[in-house]
Amino acid sequence: MADSVKHLAVLGSTGSIGQQTLEVLRAFSHRFRVIALAAGNNSDLLKRQIEEFKPRFVYLQDEQKLHSIAGAGYEILPPEAMANLPLVDTVVIATSGKAGLLPALAAVRAGKTVALANKEALVMAGEIVTAEAKQHSARILPIDSEHSAIWQCLNGETTPAARLILTASGGPFRNYSLAQLEKVTAEQALKHPSWRMGRKITIDSATLMNKGLEVIEAHWLFEMPFERISVLVHPQSIIHSMVEFADGSIKAQLSYPDMRLPIQFALSYPERLANPQLPKLDWDKAASLTFEPPDCDSFPCLKLAIEAGKQGGTCPAVLCGADEAAVELFLAQKIKFTDIARLVEQTLSGHQSISRPNLEQIIEADAWARQQVLNYL
Amino acid sequence: MADSVKHLAVLGSTGSIGQQTLEVLRAFSHRFRVIALAAGNNSDLLKRQIEEFKPRFVYLQDEQKLHSIAGAGYEILPPEAMANLPLVDTVVIATSGKAGLLPALAAVRAGKTVALANKEALVMAGEIVTAEAKQHSARILPIDSEHSAIWQCLNGETTPAARLILTASGGPFRNYSLAQLEKVTAEQALKHPSWRMGRKITIDSATLMNKGLEVIEAHWLFEMPFERISVLVHPQSIIHSMVEFADGSIKAQLSYPDMRLPIQFALSYPERLANPQLPKLDWDKAASLTFEPPDCDSFPCLKLAIEAGKQGGTCPAVLCGADEAAVELFLAQKIKFTDIARLVEQTLSGHQSISRPNLEQIIEADAWARQQVLNYL
């Protein structure tokens, strides 16, 4: 087992998480074999990745560019089919946005080990995805620093956790007043103080929407009621999350903010691999760790998300759709930073939730929400 | 298994750890049965404990007072014999000082689960105690906040730890200069900022000798080379220790400083029991956690202990004996606070270590060291 080679499909290989996944695989080429690579539209990078990792199956979402990567020795296969390949044991879902939902579902239905970086799969369709995972004995391993931290802290415990404590950096605008937030530009919002991430998630971190989505994810991943999930602002981003147990003992996971660590742990689990490229915490530099409650008045997205999670049904899909549309508008400089929460709230309050929705209803709710945001505009 | 009742011998029941052990047992009377209680000389308290917990076997080290606890319905039995009772599955060694060594050895030789609060057993005779534990399939579970924290963090991990990071409060005299330390009184030293403990260990905390002894304990308990054990001063005493893994991930265990938590975890393991008496961490009050390197110039005992641990042989026994004698002299106001380290250092440097000593040689080395301290005086 220890020396067995894992066979991977990496979906979303040219995004931030996808690239960092390949960095980890590069460091342990004797342990991992890349069978399939799928990307969105970055054909140049995908080409270089194909040359280096020599997968058998490849895909590019952008059909116009797809022909440019076609060549001898590999086959074109869509992501859902990659997730279902008998040759593949581990599927990395690094696809961002709702495009990750169907591949994630395909992978759990195929009973694979699913290293999941995509939030939307669990936020929009947590009930369906986790039920299918159980039915097909698929294991979902989180690639998100917070959920990885919780998972690491739960490891070996036989009594269920009493409380999950998700930490949040607080984003670049922590301590900003509402008036200051009104004037925030996309450029400012894209400068995250501690994490190297994609554009959408960086804006979501600045609004605290990201933390709200993580609360919903944690709810599904760890079967934890919303009432027993807390959020704590920890600006240094050293403690990535914590678990409180029945006896009051708390376990925390710490490291410098570097996504390669949770990626590597999901891929090497249950083992841990020594990787000199990963930074070791220097206690001279981590001399003070501080904590404060989140400011839900200035950052209403956190509450909106948790409320949508509690409501359930199609509400989380509407939350995701509205947020994605609003963030796009903000990045295109068509709305203000504070309009993101406003548009999401308006969309949610105009939505008639469907309880226990099927996949079609979830996707419809997401599309409806996106359209609503554009209509409000 | 979950509902099985554990049968306990509590050795050192009237000391600080012994009393807190009985507090835990009182809260879960349906889970634990006290079979045997042994104490030093506090006959009044032992009597009350006997009335409440109704053990079958009792003992008091003070033979003059032993007759006063004799009565119908229970039998007098020395601690080593208690540790060997077939009726007992778990032996709590809460005896302080070298008096804990022989009962601890008896318990591991009898293949019991040994909840070990006594430091000297592992510091003086770590090689013998851990070898006997392996041979007799005895499990040693630490009752010390630091080692319990490390044990909790190691739980479920399949790859050995890369580094153990023991935290230290720094004691009441953190940031004192050597000149200030010269004038410290026993009364001042007995006021520990965060822990409720016995007198000897409170002084050892003030000199950082306690942390040095814990490094030696950790070396034996977790089979970790001294080079991979660090000490980090953390004045708030919220993080009780940490483990760094091969991938750079660190796990930490947090709680308010309360010995009942590690005691309870050792007794309930692998389960965790909800105990409303144990305080839950309030993040409004734990808003800042700070860390700094220990000051080995002002507190030379830490280095002396680690050096004695590395030397091995009879050096740790000499360290323990010299320290215990010196602390007694300090508490009796016969020497200065800074003389403790001075006397321990002199004694160690005058000692000819015996490698791989037997138990007799260890006990002789301890006695020799105590006498040396008195001679220097």
Side-chain angles (χ1 to χ4, degrees):
Chain A
M1 184 62 191
D3 290 306
S4 71
V5 173
K6 291 183 182 168
H7 293 77
L8 277 77
V10 181
L11 312 185
S13 66
T14 59
S16 172
I17 297 293
Q19 290 184 55
Q20 293 181 75
T21 299
L22 295 184
E23 277 184 51
V24 169
L25 300 183
R26 188 178 291 128
F28 301 99
S29 53
H30 57 297
R31 302 287 300 253
F32 303 107
R33 178 84 221 283
V34 177
I35 304 298
L37 285 179
N41 54 29
N42 191 340
S43 57
D44 290 344
L45 181 54
L46 182 64
K47 264 192 218 169
R48 291 201 299 277
Q49 291 178 344
I50 290 171
E51 277 163 27
E52 179 178 358
F53 291 95
K54 302 183 175 49
R56 186 162 145 199
F57 304 93
V58 299
Y59 191 76
L60 198 69
Q61 212 180 351
D62 185 326
E63 292 197 5
Q64 291 200 305
K65 293 181 184 165
L66 183 57
H67 72 273
S68 80
I69 60 154
Y74 43 81
E75 302 165 37
I76 306 288
L77 200 69
E80 285 94 305
M82 286 178 173
N84 200 23
L85 284 167
L87 200 58
V88 165
D89 48 61
T90 304
V91 182
V92 179
I93 313 273
T95 322
S96 70
K98 75 167 174 158
L101 175 53
L102 293 180
L105 252 181
V108 296
R109 281 178 178 151
K112 306 294 187 192
T113 295
V114 184
L116 186 66
N118 175 276
K119 283 193 168 60
E120 284 74 6
L122 283 176
V123 173
M124 292 172 68
E127 193 163 2
I128 295 172
V129 172
T130 53
E132 294 274 357
K134 265 187 198 164
Q135 197 186 324
H136 299 281
S137 305
R139 180 122 205 218
I140 302 175
L141 308 182
I143 295 188
D144 203 355
S145 60
E146 293 78 0
H147 303 90
S148 178
I150 290 169
W151 177 39
Q152 291 180 53
C153 291
L154 286 171
N155 201 5
E157 295 286 339
T158 60
T159 311
R163 175 168 295 280
L164 308 180
I165 304 167
L166 274 78
T167 53
S169 72
F173 310 128
R174 189 172 58 93
N175 298 332
Y176 272 40
S177 67
L178 263 174
Q180 286 175 297
L181 287 173
E182 294 273 347
K183 295 179 195 134
V184 156
T185 66
E187 198 185 357
Q188 290 172 310
L190 285 171
K191 281 187 193 141
H192 193 275
S194 42
W195 288 101
R196 158 190 161 201
M197 303 180 295
R199 285 160 65 91
K200 160 74 166 47
I201 188 173
T202 302
I203 303 302
D204 281 346
S205 293
T207 61
L208 293 199
M209 176 60 88
N210 185 51
K211 205 52 53 179
L213 300 179
E214 286 174 1
V215 169
I216 302 175
E217 258 190 292
H219 164 77
W220 290 113
L221 268 176
F222 305 110
E223 300 182 64
M224 181 62 72
F226 285 99
E227 293 69 27
R228 296 204 269 130
I229 306 177
S230 307
V231 172
L232 192 62
V233 172
H234 164 50
Q236 298 81 24
S237 298
I238 296 293
I239 290 187
H240 298 302
S241 277
M242 304 187 254
V243 177
E244 185 180 300
F245 297 96
D247 55 7
S249 182
I250 291 177
K251 287 206 295 204
Q253 187 268 329
L254 300 80
S255 65
Y256 282 124
D258 191 315
M259 284 307 296
R260 291 174 298 173
L261 176 57
I263 292 168
Q264 181 178 307
F265 187 65
L267 297 178
S268 72
Y269 175 82
E271 271 184 280
R272 292 186 182 270
L273 303 177
N275 183 350
Q277 288 169 31
L278 290 179
K280 297 275 185 294
L281 203 57
D282 175 351
W283 287 98
D284 291 338
K285 288 178 191 157
S288 177
L289 306 179
T290 63
F291 306 91
E292 60 193 54
D295 177 356
C296 290
D297 293 330
S298 296
F299 300 95
C301 285
L302 177 59
K303 262 193 187 164
L304 287 173
I306 295 172
E307 211 36 62
K310 284 184 187 171
Q311 295 264 326
T314 42
C315 286
V318 167
L319 177 88
C320 283
D323 178 59
E324 206 163 320
V327 169
E328 272 168 32
L329 292 174
F330 171 67
L331 287 173
Q333 300 180 0
K334 293 195 177 148
I335 61 171
K336 286 187 290 186
F337 183 76
T338 44
D339 288 332
I340 298 173
R342 214 165 290 144
L343 288 172
V344 171
E345 185 167 20
Q346 278 178 6
T347 310
L348 276 168
S349 61
H351 178 64
Q352 201 70 37
S353 180
I354 301 166
S355 72
R356 303 189 69 94
N358 60 29
L359 205 59
E360 206 168 40
Q361 291 168 318
I362 288 170
I363 290 168
E364 267 171 27
D366 168 88
W368 173 85
R370 286 165 198 268
Q371 192 53 52
Q372 284 299 104
V373 167
L374 298 178
N375 292 352
Y376 285 126
L377 206 66
Chain B
M1 186 59 194
D3 291 306
S4 71
V5 172
K6 290 183 182 167
H7 294 77
L8 278 77
V10 181
L11 313 184
S13 65
T14 60
S16 172
I17 296 294
Q19 290 183 54
Q20 292 181 78
T21 299
L22 295 184
E23 277 184 53
V24 170
L25 301 182
R26 188 178 291 128
F28 301 99
S29 53
H30 57 298
R31 303 286 302 252
F32 303 108
R33 178 82 224 284
V34 178
I35 304 297
L37 285 178
N41 54 30
N42 191 339
S43 56
D44 290 344
L45 180 54
L46 182 62
K47 263 191 219 171
R48 291 201 298 278
Q49 292 177 343
I50 290 170
E51 278 163 27
E52 180 179 356
F53 290 94
K54 301 184 176 51
R56 183 160 149 201
F57 303 93
V58 298
Y59 191 76
L60 198 69
Q61 211 180 354
D62 185 325
E63 292 198 6
Q64 290 199 306
K65 292 181 186 165
L66 183 56
H67 72 273
S68 79
I69 60 152
Y74 41 82
E75 302 165 37
I76 306 290
L77 199 71
E80 285 95 304
M82 286 178 173
N84 200 22
L85 283 168
L87 199 58
V88 165
D89 48 62
T90 304
V91 182
V92 179
I93 313 274
T95 322
S96 70
K98 74 165 176 157
L101 174 54
L102 293 180
L105 251 182
V108 295
R109 283 179 177 150
K112 306 295 188 193
T113 295
V114 184
L116 186 65
N118 175 277
K119 283 194 165 60
E120 284 74 4
L122 283 176
V123 174
M124 293 171 69
E127 193 163 1
I128 295 173
V129 171
T130 52
E132 295 273 357
K134 266 189 197 162
Q135 196 185 326
H136 300 280
S137 304
R139 181 124 203 217
I140 302 175
L141 308 182
I143 295 187
D144 204 354
S145 60
E146 292 79 0
H147 304 89
S148 177
I150 290 168
W151 177 40
Q152 291 179 54
C153 292
L154 287 170
N155 202 5
E157 296 286 340
T158 60
T159 310
R163 175 169 297 280
L164 308 180
I165 304 168
L166 274 77
T167 53
S169 71
F173 310 127
R174 188 172 59 93
N175 298 333
Y176 273 40
S177 67
L178 264 174
Q180 286 175 298
L181 286 173
E182 294 271 348
K183 294 178 196 137
V184 155
T185 66
E187 199 186 357
Q188 290 172 309
L190 285 172
K191 281 188 192 139
H192 192 275
S194 44
W195 288 100
R196 158 189 162 204
M197 302 180 297
R199 286 160 64 91
K200 161 71 164 50
I201 188 174
T202 302
I203 303 303
D204 280 347
S205 292
T207 61
L208 292 200
M209 175 60 87
N210 186 51
K211 205 51 54 180
L213 299 178
E214 286 174 3
V215 169
I216 302 175
E217 259 190 292
H219 165 77
W220 290 113
L221 268 176
F222 305 110
E223 300 183 62
M224 181 61 72
F226 284 99
E227 292 70 28
R228 294 203 271 130
I229 306 176
S230 307
V231 172
L232 191 61
V233 172
H234 165 49
Q236 297 82 22
S237 297
I238 296 293
I239 291 186
H240 297 302
S241 277
M242 303 187 255
V243 177
E244 185 180 302
F245 296 96
D247 56 8
S249 181
I250 291 177
K251 287 206 294 205
Q253 187 269 331
L254 299 81
S255 64
Y256 282 124
D258 190 315
M259 283 307 297
R260 290 173 299 174
L261 175 56
I263 292 168
Q264 181 178 307
F265 187 65
L267 298 179
S268 72
Y269 175 83
E271 271 183 280
R272 292 185 183 269
L273 304 176
N275 183 350
Q277 288 169 31
L278 290 178
K280 297 276 183 293
L281 203 56
D282 175 351
W283 287 98
D284 291 338
K285 290 179 189 154
S288 177
L289 307 179
T290 63
F291 306 91
E292 59 191 55
D295 177 356
C296 291
D297 294 330
S298 296
F299 300 94
C301 284
L302 177 59
K303 261 194 186 164
L304 286 174
I306 295 172
E307 211 35 62
K310 283 184 186 170
Q311 294 263 327
T314 42
C315 285
V318 166
L319 177 88
C320 283
D323 178 58
E324 206 163 319
V327 169
E328 272 168 33
L329 291 174
F330 171 66
L331 287 173
Q333 299 179 0
K334 294 194 175 148
I335 62 171
K336 286 187 290 187
F337 183 77
T338 44
D339 288 333
I340 298 172
R342 213 163 290 142
L343 288 172
V344 171
E345 185 167 20
Q346 279 180 3
T347 309
L348 275 168
S349 62
H351 177 63
Q352 199 71 36
S353 180
I354 301 166
S355 71
R356 304 189 68 93
N358 60 30
L359 204 60
E360 204 169 39
Q361 291 168 320
I362 288 169
I363 290 168
E364 267 171 25
D366 168 88
W368 173 85
R370 286 164 198 268
Q371 191 53 51
Q372 285 299 105
V373 167
L374 298 178
N375 291 352
Y376 286 125
L377 205 69

